[in-house]
Amino acid sequence: MIFRRVLQGIVPVLLTLASVGQNTVVSGKITDAKTGEPLPFVNIIFQDSRIGTTSDMDGKYRLETYYATDSLILSFVGYMPRSIAVKKERTQVLDVKLEPSSTSLAEVVIKPSGENPAFAVLRRVIRNKPVNNREKLAAYQYEAYNKIEFDLNNITEEFTKKKLFKPFAFIFDNIDSTDAKPSLPIFMTESLSDIYYRQQPRTQREHIKGTKVSGIENESIGQFMGDMYQNVNIYENFLVIFGKNFVSPIADGGKGFYDYYLTDSLFVGKYWCYRLDFKPKRVQELAFTGTLWINDTTYAVRRIEAGIAQGANLNFVQGFWVKQEYDQVEREVWMLVRDELVVDINIIKDTGKPNKTAVQGFYGRRTATYKDFVINEPKPAEFYAGADQVVMKIDPLSLGADYWDTHRHVQLTKKENTIYHMVDTMKTIPRFRTYVDIVSTIISGYYEHGDFEYGPYFTTFSFNQVEGARFRLGGRTSNQFSKWVEFDGYAAYGTLDERFKFGFATRGFISKEPRLLYRLGYKHDIEQLGQSVNAFRNDNILGSIFRVNPNNKLTDVEQWRASLEREWITGFTNEVMVRYRTLQPLGSLRYEKLSDGLIIQNVNSIRTAEISLNTRFLYHETFVSGEFDRLSVGFNKYPTLELHLAYGAPGLLNSDYEYTKVVGRIYKRWQLGPLGWTRTTLEGGKIWGTLPYPLLTIHSGNETLYLDDVSFNTMRFFEFISDRYIQFTAEHHFEGAFFNRIPLLRRLKWREVAVFKGVAGDLDYKHFNELLLLPNMYSLDRGPYMEASAGIENIFKVLRTDIIWRLRYNDHPGTSPFAIRAKIYINF
């Protein structure tokens, strides 16, 4: 126990010392090579830098810096200059002897190098990026203040006089006309937090001390608006903005994307700086135009002002401006102290022509300031324990206005102060609530009225070959009813089968911190087995309209289900589930088996009782939550891991089969800089036991015109069945890398997509003893199934169309080697 405590005390110190070892320390003594006398006032400087010193009266010198190069240059009047090698990031003693000089000065001829003078500065900036990047430090901490505001812009006098806004015309008293487009503030949030960083092992924490949000009371919104999720590091080669890879103006290969101009040198604050202007080399590349101010000694960024270049292949964004300021908070430690960002978003492009009706859009504004820096003083190891990067540690005093008047770094303007009152007042106006309800219904599919939400509306009517016309009514309780428990239910009727179907369910929290959620449900309805989780649900009217084959391979399902979900740490979740199902074939499906030799016997139903454990893990996952559901957001460099384990319990509630299932899945999105981005999915599974085909792995097909990212789009339902398989998907988005270079296509802002999907598997013949495969059902015994596609996305900014090649098993009846699929895909 004592030994462990000693280690706990020593190890953090050793790690800290190792981290600080990035500093280079050179010391020694300079003497006359002939007499041995010490030489004072010798100039000592790192080659190709401005970091230097002079020797003292005893000839001694010492240099300590993050900005070391590989050589020291020593010069002194009357002596030959000398260059000595230096080991970077080491502490070393270098004694030097200088030879007296007897050579007279020769004529010096200065000739222009022919190189762009901005490149010399840029090379030094890039060389010093590792030491100017704050992540070089062993540890740091600071207080961060974030203010985010959304404004409705293009507010014209004609707009304010519309009858639609008459009930709350008072809000137009707050219009800000100082911008190019008159704007009306409609939302604002503030947060105050402490940021902690440790290099070894690399850990980052944000403790949010206070949040203030106008109109939205949601803790996850407060987390997402904190500093960690919003910060952009200019020292990275590529900056992920709007999900796109923008090339940093100080990227290692920046000269391939930017033109640079050295235009001035001046004081910025107390630091002498070079001014570098930059702009993209090519139209529509994801790059910036703007100005950099570079410190002349450390070649750190002192200030940057930049915007997205005109014509960049980006949807809905008419403007994007960022201004960052850095300061030397300690010797040779540069930190971001202020960060300002403005985004101008318009769904329909504003042409700016005076005779055109103005199109309303939004300004998004973010102002962040940082202070109270503590450098290279790491906290104890237990402080960084746990996987949650963002922790809500709300100060109770932050609920009052006095707290913010005292603690916010930048005081609010008069207009900003009115936003909180204005939004709260608007929420009480019935007409405003009506408009919000209409927008919410379109997006969510549910119409909220008091304690109940009716919907989803797109399932009210659908049709298929088994039910004929299907009519459905359903709904769920709203958050007004409860934020801890939810009930939902529905009833449906088919005009052809003349049967009622129905279902009801509930879910609720046992605990919200930690997240512990139960689910209970029962349903008796029709399902399409072998349909991906990403496909249209079977009763969606769009699924009925866009089908290419008759929808007659359906299954009558009666199901009881109970589950318990537990989140252990952010991004790591387990769910235990018990499910009892009875399956009966409908339409062209049959359950048939051989009995007494060659006699085919019909099987009326299949009963299973299954106990399963589902695990999902995404390290440092970020998300925005509703009261019950979550949406994972932002780019995460780590893969998503999923594992499904299931056991079929024979005899439980007359269950017919015993089996074990294992399915594993790895999903990863890869940011590839100017080449775009790729997402890959690797999945594999195996089933032990002897089962009928509805309980085996039915590979996901697609029999609609709608493009399904998860399924095989040229595979029919029930075409391939396996009891063991491995599946791989790779989808690459080029983001216009080729089309941007073709003048006729550049203006369309089309973007290229390429996809490959494949699955290899097998099926043991023992399963045929339970149920026979029907005609046109196959195993993958002839090798893997594969398909590839090439597509164009961003057509009219909302449409993606793919041409898909079915690469194997083209001899199967009812299949085609080619298919065209499309889907709605809205993206920046």
Side-chain angles (χ1 to χ4, degrees), residues 770-814:
E770 296 301 325
L771 282 186
L772 297 174
L773 296 186
L774 297 183
N776 303 327
M777 291 185 182
Y778 306 92
S779 67
L780 290 163
D781 57 350
R782 290 163 46 196
Y785 174 90
M786 295 182 290
E787 64 181 33
S789 66
I792 299 174
E793 62 184 359
N794 208 42
I795 302 172
F796 306 118
K797 297 185 179 180
V798 298
L799 185 66
R800 169 179 164 183
T801 301
D802 283 26
I803 299 176
I804 305 163
W805 288 265
R806 180 174 167 132
L807 302 178
R808 304 204 62 209
Y809 294 97
N810 290 316
D811 55 340
H812 287 186

Side-chain angles (χ1 to χ4, degrees), residues 33-50:
K34 291 185 176 180
T35 66
E37 293 182 358
L39 297 178
F41 310 117
V42 176
N43 295 311
I44 307 145
I45 190 170
F46 281 103
Q47 187 175 22
D48 197 25
S49 82
R50 299 189 63 178

Side-chain angles (χ1 to χ4, degrees), residues 183-203:
S183 59
L184 173 67
I186 57 173
F187 169 87
M188 189 170 73
T189 179
E190 299 175 271
S191 71
L192 192 68
S193 54
D194 290 327
I195 309 296
Y196 303 90
Y197 171 84
R198 177 185 64 179
Q199 187 188 79
Q200 296 292 339
R202 185 173 176 176
T203 312

